[in-house]
Amino acid sequence: MFVKRDFVSSFKQTILGPIWFFINPILTTIVYLVIFGRIAKLPTDGAPPILFYLSGVTLWNYFSSSLLATSSTFTGNAGIFGKVYFPRLVTPLSIVISNLMRFGVQFLLFIMAWAYYLSQGQVHPNIWIFATPFLIILMALFALGVGMIFSSLTTKYKDLAMLLGFGISLYMYATPVIYPVSSLPGFFKKLAYYNPLTGIFECFKYAWIGVGDFSPVMLGISTVIILILLMIGIVVFNKVEKTFMDTV
């Protein structure tokens, strides 16, 4: 029911409805292509620029939308939580699942573009392509863990909600969405390894396009950090849910 509610409410009273799933990544990719590809001339490790940016946009849209929505679990559902009891963890889980539908549509757009460049011999996929479901699950768990932490904190410190929106915008530039990790200088490249999204994005691009500075160690680091954040998020969330009605 929560998944259906999130999906319907997103496009209620809109003219184009789910078509926005396609419009958003297309327009964003075009903007990135012009600004970062043509003007800034950032490298793409030899990958077709459109496909490189589209892959980054597709992954980033899912993560950022899931994180932002999950972070308002308590404040956005206080009315429901105050009337009936059910496992509160269901709500952030439903947000992550409902966003998977959006991701599926945008991923289909990526597949269409990828199939074209594959027919042109400009991409070189490999066996890591079968790790895609694992990468999506990792992204979902990361958004869920961090989102629950912020959701718990914003019941008492509402300023964090605005800070999170600004922080996500900055975080995108610390993540290899518009640039490959191989283009970073030595120190920043080592630092990027400890960004949980770096291993996910680099593995995805390496698997589907055949480019990137990817290694299994990078993905292992991402997995460990994400699982730690998820456990912290669950503990904090379960603790706050018992008393949050007094502070919201």
Side-chain angles (χ1 to χ4, degrees):
M1 290 175 62
F2 278 129
V3 171
K4 181 180 178 181
R5 180 201 65 175
D6 293 339
F7 185 81
V8 172
S9 63
S10 297
F11 300 103
K12 192 175 183 180
Q13 296 180 325
T14 62
I15 297 175
L16 298 179
I19 296 177
W20 284 109
F21 288 161
F22 285 103
I23 295 176
N24 182 286
I26 290 174
L27 293 180
T28 305
T29 299
I30 293 173
V31 171
Y32 287 175
L33 183 64
V34 173
I35 296 177
F36 301 111
R38 302 296 183 185
I39 300 177
K41 298 188 183 300
L42 294 180
T44 59
D45 275 349
I50 291 179
L51 197 60
F52 183 88
Y53 293 127
L54 186 58
S55 64
V57 168
T58 301
L59 294 179
W60 180 258
N61 281 350
Y62 174 67
F63 169 76
S64 60
S65 60
S66 296
L67 176 55
L68 280 172
T70 305
S71 67
S72 62
T73 297
F74 284 124
T75 55
N77 296 279
I80 299 176
F81 289 171
K83 293 178 180 178
V84 62
Y85 177 77
F86 59 91
R88 308 307 190 199
L89 198 56
V90 168
T91 310
L93 281 173
S94 70
I95 293 171
V96 171
I97 294 172
S98 63
N99 279 327
L100 276 176
M101 292 188 286
R102 303 183 186 186
F103 173 78
V105 175
Q106 295 184 1
F107 185 66
L108 178 62
L109 177 63
F110 168 78
I111 291 294
M112 293 166 60
W114 175 81
Y116 169 77
Y117 285 107
L118 181 65
S119 66
Q120 301 295 313
Q122 297 186 47
V123 295
H124 309 283
N126 53 67
I127 195 172
W128 280 96
I129 204 171
F130 295 107
T132 302
F134 177 68
L135 300 179
I136 297 171
I137 291 173
L138 277 183
M139 269 199 308
L141 295 180
F142 186 33
L144 185 63
V146 177
M148 286 192 296
I149 293 173
F150 272 91
S151 179
S152 302
L153 293 175
T154 51
T155 59
K156 188 174 294 186
Y157 309 106
K158 290 182 171 58
D159 289 346
L160 288 176
M162 292 178 280
L163 181 63
L164 180 62
F166 178 68
I168 287 179
S169 300
L170 292 180
Y171 186 40
M172 191 195 79
Y173 295 101
T175 302
V177 177
I178 56 175
Y179 58 84
V181 172
S182 59
S183 66
L184 296 175
F187 172 76
F188 291 101
K189 181 183 291 187
K190 293 180 180 179
L191 197 61
Y193 271 56
Y194 296 96
N195 176 355
L197 289 182
T198 297
I200 297 173
F201 277 65
E202 287 296 293
C203 182
F204 185 86
K205 292 175 182 177
Y206 176 74
W208 287 88
I209 308 176
V211 300
D213 189 19
F214 170 71
S215 72
V217 174
M218 184 187 297
L219 188 59
I221 293 173
S222 297
T223 303
V224 171
I225 295 175
I226 288 172
L227 291 178
I228 292 173
L229 289 173
L230 178 64
M231 287 187 290
I232 294 173
I234 293 175
V235 171
V236 173
F237 188 89
N238 288 334
K239 183 177 180 180
V240 171
E241 72 164 314
K242 300 174 183 177
T243 59
F244 86 98
M245 288 301 296
D246 298 329
T247 56
V248 170

